[in-house]
Amino acid sequence: MRPGQFHCYRDVLNDVRETPPFKGKIGGTGPLDVDFKINVSIDKIILENLNITFGGHSKPKNCTALQKIAIIIPFRNRELHLTYWLFYMHPFLQKQQGDYGIYVVEQHGQSMFNRAKLMNIGYTEAVKDYDYNCFIFSDVDIIPMNLKNLYRCSKYPKHMAHSLDKFNFRLPYKTLFGGIVAFTKEQYLNINGFSNSFWGWGGEDDELYQRVVAAGMIIERAPQNISKAKMMTHMRDPGNERNQKNVPLISKAKFKMHEDGLSSLEYLLISFTRHRLYTKITVDIGKPDDSVKHSLGGSV
Ligand code: UD2
Ligand code: MN
């Protein structure tokens, strides 16, 4: 058997176990030292990750990965956070033998931020790029502290930011589904993605949870101790103020999910650029109560 014919460790879709996949030679197993004070630079990260191909792709050399993972990061004006994310996550994902690509979806302009819509755009562009079957939607500011925290999809949609330093490594409320979530392609299509209607801060993650429940699925979480993660401290960004109009939308998920989501997604692609460590997708997504169709004269 040639090396490429071996399957990578623990790389099975629908696998719910979360035991450590690694044996000595693959990489470390234990906790990682995550420090947001050290000096980082894109050049240094490139030099330390020469295996990564343009666009921020990597796949294991000695085994065949069954999961092909697109990591989608919603983004605007968080360069330093992105640099730390790349610094920690490229080595992390390679040690986990991931076949993965990084997509940074940047909202162009000053209109109110729409995290959820950027996630849907990331999904839509990533599926055109490679035959991904697992999608991990991650905030730019959260770094896992343990290599056993598998960046993989599972039998059910998986919540991966339930043990944050910010919340004293406890889950603040049971239905929390923000920060980092992992969906197989099938699971994501099943809920029609995120809602596109959440502008500004808050609620889009709770609505996503309601979609999962309405589709008859449950969510899973790995054990608290291996899922510990650090979030970079930050202020609320300008243009992402809390929006009270989002609150009543949450409970409407089960009625709206089939008409509001991937199936109704409209945006204008401004650029699609393969950088050394990630692919950047810059988009105009319009603004609240203003169909992109009207403001931009067409959909994409
Ligand atoms: C919480 C959730 C987050 C989301 C948000 C409400 C957790 C751990 N996190 O995070 O997933 O549900 O509340 O919307 O549950 N961003 C930019 N530029 C901006 C604004 C946002 O890049 O100007 C991106 C960035 O990836 C950021 C993410 O959007 O990490 C979420 O925004 P946040 O970090 O300000 O929200 P936070 O920490 O309150
Ligand atoms: Mn944050």
Side-chain angles (χ1 to χ4, degrees):
M1 214 183 200
R2 283 181 292 116
Q5 291 174 300
F6 288 107
H7 285 160
C8 301
Y9 280 93
R10 313 274 307 136
D11 198 43
V12 187
L13 270 182
N14 299 337
D15 191 340
V16 289
R17 291 166 303 154
E18 289 284 353
T19 50
F22 311 108
K23 299 267 188 296
K25 63 179 179 192
I26 291 165
T29 55
L32 303 170
D33 198 12
V34 179
D35 177 359
F36 300 129
K37 291 200 181 73
I38 57 169
N39 280 332
V40 286
S41 76
I42 290 290
D43 289 345
K44 184 173 168 220
I45 305 168
I46 292 171
L47 284 175
E48 287 174 359
N49 292 275
L50 293 172
N51 290 332
I52 292 164
T53 55
F54 263 87
H57 294 266
S58 176
K59 63 177 178 184
K61 285 201 172 58
N62 301 319
C63 58
T64 306
L66 296 179
Q67 291 206 19
K68 298 185 193 328
I69 308 154
I71 302 196
I72 315 289
I73 301 176
F75 184 82
R76 184 166 69 185
N77 203 19
R78 293 271 199 113
E79 303 297 341
L80 182 62
H81 288 182
L82 179 61
T83 306
Y84 276 115
W85 194 94
L86 296 164
F87 174 74
Y88 283 113
M89 295 312 292
H90 270 304
F92 181 97
L93 294 163
Q94 288 171 88
K95 283 178 185 162
Q96 289 195 345
Q97 298 185 318
D99 181 346
Y100 69 91
I102 309 297
Y103 296 85
V104 174
V105 190
E106 178 185 51
Q107 180 170 338
H108 172 80
Q110 307 302 315
S111 63
M112 229 196 283
F113 197 70
N114 189 329
R115 173 179 182 268
K117 193 167 178 180
L118 296 173
M119 299 300 202
N120 282 341
I121 294 168
Y123 171 89
T124 305
E125 294 294 330
V127 289
K128 292 190 243 170
D129 207 29
Y130 189 56
D131 58 339
Y132 293 111
N133 52 19
C134 171
F135 298 83
I136 299 185
F137 300 93
S138 175
D139 283 1
V140 73
D141 52 19
I142 305 174
I143 308 292
M145 295 167 68
N146 197 313
L147 201 54
K148 295 175 193 170
N149 183 0
L150 282 181
Y151 271 55
R152 291 283 195 280
C153 286
S154 202
K155 184 171 183 188
Y156 295 109
K158 191 161 83 164
H159 184 218
M160 300 176 66
H162 57 286
S163 187
L164 292 183
D165 58 344
K166 180 186 168 183
F167 299 128
N168 242 336
F169 303 111
R170 291 200 184 86
L171 187 62
Y173 59 98
K174 249 178 82 180
T175 61
L176 183 75
F177 200 43
I180 313 171
V181 293
F183 282 80
T184 63
K185 188 174 187 181
E186 196 183 17
Q187 289 160 0
Y188 200 62
L189 289 173
N190 203 5
I191 59 162
N192 197 21
F194 278 84
S195 164
N196 300 311
S197 309
F198 284 73
W199 299 88
W201 188 92
E204 84 297 338
D205 51 341
D206 299 311
E207 205 262 4
L208 186 75
Y209 179 82
Q210 295 303 327
R211 287 178 180 235
V212 169
V213 171
M217 296 185 284
I218 56 168
I219 63 166
E220 36 173 284
R221 296 187 177 105
Q224 211 81 10
N225 59 329
I226 71 160
S227 303
K228 285 186 173 177
K230 280 193 185 173
M231 191 175 121
M232 292 171 235
T233 46
H234 60 80
M235 311 285 277
R236 187 74 42 81
D237 299 278
N240 194 30
E241 289 76 22
R242 180 190 284 269
N243 187 354
Q244 290 298 344
K245 284 187 188 160
N246 290 344
V247 178
L249 302 180
I250 297 169
S251 61
K252 299 201 176 77
K254 62 173 175 287
F255 308 111
K256 293 270 184 163
M257 61 189 271
H258 295 295
E259 64 204 48
D260 172 16
L262 288 174
S263 61
S264 62
L265 181 65
E266 291 177 344
Y267 59 98
L268 185 74
L269 182 65
I270 294 178
S271 60
F272 184 103
T273 312
R274 293 188 204 281
H275 293 268
R276 281 295 298 266
L277 298 170
Y278 59 95
T279 295
K280 189 175 224 181
I281 299 165
T282 302
V283 284
D284 189 333
I285 62 171
K287 52 187 194 293
D289 307 322
D290 166 31
S291 161
V292 182
K293 224 183 222 158
H294 296 133
S295 65
L296 302 170
S299 63
V300 177

